Amino acid sequence: MEKAKISSYQLFVLIFMFELGSALLLGIGSGAKQDAWLAILSGLSVGFFLFYVYYKIFSFYPGISPVEWLRAIYGKVIGWCFGFAMGIYFLYLSARVLRDFGEMLIISAYPETPRFIITVIMAFCVMYAVKKGMEVMARTGEIFFIFVYFLMIMSFVLITSSGLINLNYLKPVLENGPMPIMKTMATETIYIPFGETIAFLSIFPLVDKIKGVKVAGLSAMWLSGTNLAISILINTCVLGVDVMMRSPFPLLTTIQEIQIAHFLERLDVFFMLALIVGGFFKVGIFLYAACIMFTELFHVSSYKRTVYPLGLIMLCASVMIASTYAEHIDEGIKVVPVLLHLPMQVVFPIITLLLILWQERRKKKNGQKSASA
């Protein structure tokens, strides 16, 4: 583990920036059409439960890395295998998010630039930051948090001032009943971005006050989830369901509609910067979590030795992960949630927590027996 300490507030900022990341870019929940905001809030409610599961696991083994407590729970061999699977999972997600933001820059700003060049620049910026350590990333997050939130408030004010909002696009609410919302929640909004906070199991041990982890995490999830719901509400009210579902990046399309007095327009460049900042932290935290896992698994002296090798794997994977952006999105919606997100974010942590509770109960019974004897 890295010998570093971050505050509860810094953890709050990191989780907030992490969760906005690609979720704000892609406009998650659009499968529920005009009820997408309800799908996000439903996913948030389940996300609170999942985060509590992650926190509860950490609370039984504070101060040690996930690989160490996996070995303590499952044994050396099985624990090593589970740790390896988690490391691969984090590395794969870092490559997916890197691809998301590379495609966004190509489609929106640099259509003539090779995808590999843009991805290389982003990847090496992330690798440099991760090698500097989590304390540096946390302090950087504190600075950018103010910048990102200011832009979010300004976007809301400008969109409202432009007279773009049409509340009729939200009607009828629950047109097809609750099933589309439940389906979207079960296949998308639980996992992205709320279940992805499982990556913070590698960062929780660095927080200076253990009790602050739960409050900071739940507060950050509430704030980011609320902002995501507001964002999708605004996208729906401005673009309408059809345009929102066809747009690869609904928020940028919404921002492009801003026009005040034929003077304030084409503001999507500024908001693209905010999106890139969120993507930077999301890719960085996934890469950091992967480095911590592989450092412990293979007994490397410092996680910093693994940053560039794993970063290069991430870079290559992001390019080879799919031949086109449409294929990349299709894979992310249909394949990844079932084969990766569900087992890694939901099933495995819940089974692990139940096993921990069973082991703790067994220890208490054995302790009572030995005391009575």
Side-chain angles (χ1 to χ4, degrees), residues 60-86:
F60 283 102
Y61 298 94
I64 63 175
S65 70
V67 172
E68 291 179 273
W69 53 254
L70 282 171
R71 286 173 177 162
I73 297 167
Y74 292 102
K76 289 185 178 180
V77 176
I78 298 177
W80 191 94
C81 293
F82 281 146
F84 185 79
M86 288 180 68

Side-chain angles (χ1 to χ4, degrees), residues 20 80 91 132 137 145 151 160 164 177 179 182 196 216 236 252 260 272 280 282 288 303 328 333 360 364 371:
L20 285 186
W80 191 94
L91 192 60
K132 285 295 180 181
M137 286 194 69
F145 173 74
L151 281 180
T160 306
L164 296 171
M179 286 309 298
M182 300 302 292
E196 291 176 327
T236 307
L252 285 180
I260 300 177
M272 202 179 295
F280 167 82
K282 191 155 192 174
Y288 179 85
Y303 88 93
H328 170 70
I333 292 174
E360 291 296 317
K364 287 182 180 178

Side-chain angles (χ1 to χ4, degrees), residues 279-335:
F280 167 82
F281 282 98
K282 191 155 192 174
V283 177
I285 287 167
F286 275 136
L287 179 61
Y288 179 85
C291 290
I292 293 297
M293 299 300 292
F294 285 112
T295 298
E296 296 289 335
L297 288 169
F298 295 101
H299 305 288
V300 182
S301 59
S302 171
Y303 88 93
K304 294 182 180 181
R305 293 177 176 270
T306 66
V307 172
Y308 285 111
L310 292 178
L312 290 174
I313 294 173
M314 172 190 73
L315 173 61
C316 295
S318 70
V319 175
M320 298 185 297
I321 208 167
S323 57
T324 64
Y325 183 62
E327 181 183 334
H328 170 70
I329 292 297
D330 190 62
E331 178 184 295
I333 292 174
K334 296 179 180 178
V335 180

Side-chain angles (χ1 to χ4, degrees), residues 194-242:
F194 306 113
E196 291 176 327
T197 52
I198 191 173
F200 281 85
L201 283 170
S202 299
I203 298 175
F204 289 163
L206 305 180
V207 180
D208 54 3
K209 295 179 181 178
I210 296 174
K211 293 182 179 179
V213 170
K214 182 168 70 173
V215 176
L218 294 175
S219 301
M221 289 184 69
W222 174 82
L223 186 61
S224 60
T226 303
N227 280 277
L228 285 173
I230 293 172
S231 172
I232 203 73
L233 264 173
I234 292 174
N235 291 341
T236 307
C237 291
V238 172
L239 303 176
V241 172
D242 292 337

Side-chain angles (χ1 to χ4, degrees), residues 12-320:
F12 166 85
V13 168
L14 287 173
I15 294 177
F16 176 82
M17 301 291 282
F18 173 88
E19 295 207 331
L20 285 186
S22 56
L24 196 61
L25 170 70
L26 300 175
I28 61 167
S30 58
K33 298 184 178 180
Q34 66 267 26
D35 297 321
W37 63 282
L38 290 173
I40 291 175
L41 294 179
S42 301
L44 175 61
S45 63
V46 181
F48 283 142
F49 167 74
L50 291 178
F51 182 85
Y52 182 76
V53 171
Y54 307 152
Y55 168 75
K56 200 67 179 174
I57 294 171
F58 161 73
S59 66
F60 283 102
Y61 298 94
I64 63 175
S65 70
V67 172
E68 291 179 273
W69 53 254
L70 282 171
R71 286 173 177 162
I73 297 167
Y74 292 102
K76 289 185 178 180
V77 176
I78 298 177
W80 191 94
C81 293
F82 281 146
F84 185 79
M86 288 180 68
I88 293 293
Y89 176 65
F90 296 147
L91 192 60
Y92 173 77
L93 290 186
S94 69
R96 283 200 66 84
V97 178
L98 184 63
R99 176 65 177 266
D100 287 333
F101 284 89
E103 292 285 357
M104 183 267 289
L105 287 171
I106 291 170
I107 293 171
S108 304
Y110 307 104
E112 301 298 324
T113 306
R115 182 192 303 121
F116 184 74
I117 299 300
I118 290 178
T119 310
V120 164
I121 295 171
M122 291 184 65
F124 274 93
C125 289
V126 169
M127 284 185 263
Y128 175 80
V130 171
K131 191 163 186 179
K132 285 295 180 181
M134 189 48 61
E135 284 187 357
V136 173
M137 286 194 69
R139 290 169 188 162
T140 306
E142 288 182 281
I143 298 171
F144 279 114
F145 173 74
I146 300 171
F147 167 72
V148 169
Y149 215 83
F150 172 76
L151 281 180
M152 291 175 69
I153 294 171
M154 286 302 300
S155 67
F156 179 78
V157 172
L158 290 173
I159 290 170
T160 306
S161 304
S162 299
L164 296 171
I165 293 179
N166 184 353
L167 296 177
N168 290 322
Y169 285 143
L170 295 175
K171 300 175 182 178
V173 178
L174 297 175
E175 179 182 12
N176 299 309
M179 286 309 298
I181 295 173
M182 300 302 292
K183 182 180 178 181
T184 304
M185 178 189 72
T187 58
E188 190 174 346
T189 57
I190 289 176
Y191 314 119
I192 304 171
F194 306 113
E196 291 176 327
T197 52
I198 191 173
F200 281 85
L201 283 170
S202 299
I203 298 175
F204 289 163
L206 305 180
V207 180
D208 54 3
K209 295 179 181 178
I210 296 174
K211 293 182 179 179
V213 170
K214 182 168 70 173
V215 176
L218 294 175
S219 301
M221 289 184 69
W222 174 82
L223 186 61
S224 60
T226 303
N227 280 277
L228 285 173
I230 293 172
S231 172
I232 203 73
L233 264 173
I234 292 174
N235 291 341
T236 307
C237 291
V238 172
L239 303 176
V241 172
D242 292 337
V243 177
M244 182 182 70
M245 293 184 69
R246 288 198 303 267
S247 174
F249 311 114
L251 180 62
L252 285 180
T253 307
T254 300
I255 298 301
Q256 287 170 356
E257 295 292 321
I258 295 175
Q259 188 181 67
I260 300 177
H262 298 284
F263 174 70
L264 282 175
E265 54 186 21
R266 294 295 300 173
L267 300 175
D268 49 305
V269 174
F270 298 101
F271 294 93
M272 202 179 295
L273 290 173
L275 291 171
I276 291 171
V277 168
F280 167 82
F281 282 98
K282 191 155 192 174
V283 177
I285 287 167
F286 275 136
L287 179 61
Y288 179 85
C291 290
I292 293 297
M293 299 300 292
F294 285 112
T295 298
E296 296 289 335
L297 288 169
F298 295 101
H299 305 288
V300 182
S301 59
S302 171
Y303 88 93
K304 294 182 180 181
R305 293 177 176 270
T306 66
V307 172
Y308 285 111
L310 292 178
L312 290 174
I313 294 173
M314 172 190 73
L315 173 61
C316 295
S318 70
V319 175
M320 298 185 297

